[in-house]
Amino acid sequence: MNVGELILKRRTELGLTLEEVGNAVGVSKSTVKKWEDGYISNMRRDKIAQLASILQVNPISFITEEEWDKEAEEFEKKWKADSEWLKKYLSERFSEEDVSTAYELIEQLPKFNREGLIKILERMDELSELNKYLAQIDLVE
């Protein structure tokens, strides 16, 4: 189902007219009809959010595959620029092996949700204290 079909389906399921949707979103009923016909390339992001709310769907439903590809491409460009800066920053402070290890860890981070990232930070805090605890054990023995 394409975006236009989704808009039409949800509008009719909710018993809304083109005019009602248009008024709620702040566009004409002819604009809503164009969206239903698949002409969504000029739909502004604020309209996407409003339309999603009116139709009770996730706004991501209105993002086309082409837009996803564009966003992914922009993210990749930004990541490459930022990662070059990060590599330089780390290489000025740590050994090449440590930088490589840190980079491997960083590349894994997108696999985790917020809860997982918090757990990672907690474990990192614990591990950073490990040498202190090991030193205390050595002193005791």
Side-chain angles (χ1 to χ4, degrees):
M1 176 182 312
N2 67 35
V3 175
E5 292 168 340
L6 172 65
I7 294 170
L8 175 62
K9 178 179 184 270
R10 288 299 298 150
R11 180 180 65 77
T12 55
E13 285 175 350
L14 296 169
L16 299 170
T17 66
L18 290 168
E19 190 170 13
E20 288 171 326
V21 173
N23 289 339
V25 178
V27 299
S28 68
K29 66 181 183 180
S30 63
T31 297
V32 177
K33 179 65 175 137
K34 286 179 184 177
W35 291 343
E36 290 182 353
D37 291 340
Y39 300 103
I40 59 161
S41 61
N42 62 346
M43 188 188 297
R44 295 190 344 232
R45 288 182 189 253
D46 62 322
K47 300 302 179 196
I48 291 172
Q50 291 172 329
L51 184 62
S53 177
I54 298 302
L55 298 179
Q56 303 170 12
V57 297
N58 189 323
I60 292 176
S61 305
F62 298 129
I63 298 175
T64 64
E65 192 171 321
E66 180 180 292
E67 289 170 320
W68 273 115
D69 292 344
K70 184 179 176 186
E71 291 290 330
E73 187 177 304
E74 288 298 315
F75 177 81
E76 189 173 339
K77 285 180 190 174
K78 184 166 175 29
W79 168 246
K80 284 182 179 177
D82 289 347
S83 69
E84 290 305 314
W85 174 86
L86 181 61
K87 279 182 185 177
K88 183 178 184 295
Y89 176 85
L90 292 173
S91 66
E92 292 171 354
R93 289 160 178 77
F94 302 101
S95 72
E96 191 174 317
E97 183 179 347
D98 290 343
V99 170
S100 177
T101 301
Y103 220 75
E104 287 177 39
L105 290 170
I106 291 167
E107 288 177 335
Q108 297 300 315
L109 294 179
K111 294 179 181 178
F112 296 91
N113 62 18
R114 186 175 191 284
E115 188 176 307
L117 293 172
I118 290 169
K119 293 286 186 195
I120 289 169
L121 290 172
E122 289 170 355
R123 295 304 163 272
M124 288 173 63
D125 284 343
E126 290 171 5
L127 290 170
S128 69
E129 298 291 319
L130 188 59
N131 285 335
K132 180 174 84 174
Y133 296 124
L134 289 174
Q136 290 174 351
I137 292 170
D138 287 340
L139 291 175
V140 174
E141 292 180 311

